[in-house]
Amino acid sequence: MSTGTGPGPLPIRETVAPATTTPRRTRTTRTTPYLHYVAGKLAGALVSLLAVLITGFFLFRLIPGDPVRTMTGGRPVSAEQLAAYRREFGLDLPLWQQFTDYCGKALTGDLGTSYQFRTPVLDKITEALPNTLLLTGTAFVLYTALGLTLGTRSAWRHGRLGDRLHTGLALTLYSVPSFWLGLLLVIVFSVGAGPVPGLFPTGGMEDAGTEGFAHVVDVAHHLVLPVLTLVAVEYGQTLLVTRSALLDEMGSDYLTTARAKGLRDDAVRRRHAVPNALLPTVTLIFVNLGRTVAGVILVETVFSWPGLGGLFYQALSVPDLPLVQGLFLFFASAVIVMNTLADLVYPLLDPRVGR
């Protein structure tokens, strides 16, 4: 009996399961939540601008007075002449038609023509804007730097004499009306009070006939009192917000860890505490930037500064409806844009925002 040796059993092939790899987060995956966040903020800004556009039209029509009669300066004018003026400025149209014309032109950048100046509103804004930026921009840089510096030092040395003095002075000045402080500075340092002679001009931006470097010095001389008024009133807000935000961070564990590593107190404050306390201060800085563009109506009026604030006050007295509406839209747009920019900067400072 013969036994044949046939082919043996097939060898068992070992199958190795493919290694599972954790999918990497792609750039698109990381940026998608932020893009949604940006889209939501931009949509909110557009809704706010639309609300400002509508509010500005109806709000200033509640102001008592007839702009046509005001423009005639009290001169005797016939009814036919008044009707011609109203037709020229579109005041004879129904309110709904005035509103649709206003919205349609504003969306294309046409803010209308000023009643009293007979020039486009946008030209008047462009003409006065540099003067406002010079005044409020200079004050913004000074009171922001002063508020951040003193607010940081007050928080880090809270409870000491310097902290109590800085906080008390900031609260006092922040509570003072800007126009009242401006008038007080004019009385003391422009008109002169007692032994203090009049050192600065009472108002305006420049004296006639100055040129070159003398003109620069003259403008700086006129700039001192309005800038001092704004800095005195506004620096306290930055100081208090910075101090409060930094005090909230000072008890955190990461600061204790940083000190345990041997870092000096100044390094702990600069590298760790201050950057993490910046969010509320960033909001305030951007809001103040919007106000810088918009100007400060009362201060510019007190010091007869030829900026947007003084122009707005002058337009209200007529009332010059196209100019008032255009300035109101410009002011509100500046604040809305700056607030939106602050929202977009937040995720760069704190990655938890917008995720």
Side-chain angles (χ1 to χ4, degrees):
M1 179 173 170
S2 62
T3 57
T5 58
L10 295 174
I12 299 175
R13 179 175 296 178
E14 296 182 0
T15 59
V16 180
T20 58
T21 57
T22 303
R24 293 184 301 173
R25 291 183 65 187
T26 62
R27 190 183 189 92
T28 305
T29 306
R30 290 195 302 267
T31 56
T32 298
Y34 180 69
L35 292 178
H36 290 165
Y37 173 80
V38 170
K41 293 301 179 181
L42 293 179
L46 290 176
V47 172
S48 299
L49 286 174
L50 182 61
V52 166
L53 189 67
I54 296 172
T55 303
F57 176 83
F58 292 102
L59 177 64
F60 296 109
R61 276 162 175 74
L62 300 177
I63 300 175
D66 186 349
V68 173
R69 288 192 176 277
T70 305
M71 284 185 293
T72 60
R75 298 187 304 271
V77 180
S78 65
E80 291 79 9
Q81 290 174 313
L82 290 176
Y85 275 126
R86 290 192 171 89
R87 282 195 302 272
E88 179 183 354
F89 295 116
L91 296 175
D92 61 330
L93 299 174
L95 189 61
W96 66 267
Q97 190 171 350
Q98 294 183 41
F99 174 69
T100 54
D101 291 346
Y102 163 71
C103 290
K105 291 180 179 179
L107 292 175
T108 61
D110 182 4
L111 300 179
T113 302
S114 169
Y115 293 165
Q116 53 184 329
F117 298 106
R118 304 296 180 93
T119 57
V121 170
L122 197 57
D123 290 348
K124 294 299 297 181
I125 293 176
T126 305
E127 177 184 337
L129 181 59
N131 301 336
T132 290
L133 291 179
L134 176 63
L135 170 61
T136 55
T138 304
F140 169 79
V141 172
L142 293 177
Y143 70 67
T144 300
L146 189 64
L148 286 173
T149 303
L150 295 181
T152 302
R153 291 184 176 276
S154 293
W156 210 250
R157 297 174 173 83
H158 66 96
R160 300 182 184 179
L161 178 60
D163 173 41
R164 293 196 296 269
L165 289 177
H166 288 316
T167 305
L169 183 61
L171 284 170
T172 302
L173 291 176
Y174 185 56
S175 304
V176 172
S178 58
F179 72 91
W180 181 84
L181 181 59
L183 289 173
L184 186 63
L185 291 178
V186 168
I187 292 173
V188 175
F189 294 106
S190 294
V191 178
V196 181
L199 300 174
F200 299 99
T202 57
M205 181 177 171
E206 58 188 357
D207 292 330
T210 57
E211 297 179 358
F213 182 72
H215 177 71
V216 175
V217 173
D218 181 51
V219 172
H221 192 215
H222 285 75
L223 201 61
V224 171
L225 289 185
V227 166
L228 181 60
T229 303
L230 290 175
V231 171
V233 173
E234 296 294 339
Y235 96 96
Q237 185 181 19
T238 307
L239 183 150
L240 295 172
V241 170
T242 303
R243 179 182 181 274
S244 176
L246 191 53
L247 284 175
D248 290 340
E249 294 291 330
M250 286 179 59
S252 302
D253 293 336
Y254 69 90
L255 295 183
T256 304
T257 304
R259 290 190 183 95
K261 291 179 179 180
L263 290 178
R264 292 187 306 172
D265 211 39
D266 287 342
V268 172
R269 182 179 71 241
R270 288 196 312 269
R271 299 178 188 176
H272 299 281
V274 173
N276 284 282
L278 277 180
L279 275 182
T281 309
V282 166
T283 303
L284 180 62
I285 288 174
F286 274 94
V287 170
N288 287 338
L289 270 175
R291 293 174 57 194
T292 297
V293 177
V296 183
I297 297 173
L298 293 177
V299 172
E300 289 191 359
T301 302
V302 168
F303 290 97
S304 303
W305 191 265
L308 294 177
L311 187 63
F312 186 77
Y313 179 81
Q314 186 178 355
L316 276 176
S317 62
V318 174
D320 189 339
L321 293 179
L323 187 54
V324 169
Q325 291 169 176
L327 286 168
F328 178 76
L329 179 61
F330 183 79
F331 294 164
S333 299
V335 175
I336 291 171
V337 168
M338 290 303 169
N339 281 342
T340 305
L341 288 177
D343 289 336
L344 299 183
V345 168
Y346 279 171
L348 303 178
L349 300 175
D350 188 348
R352 296 170 296 179
V353 180
R355 296 294 187 266

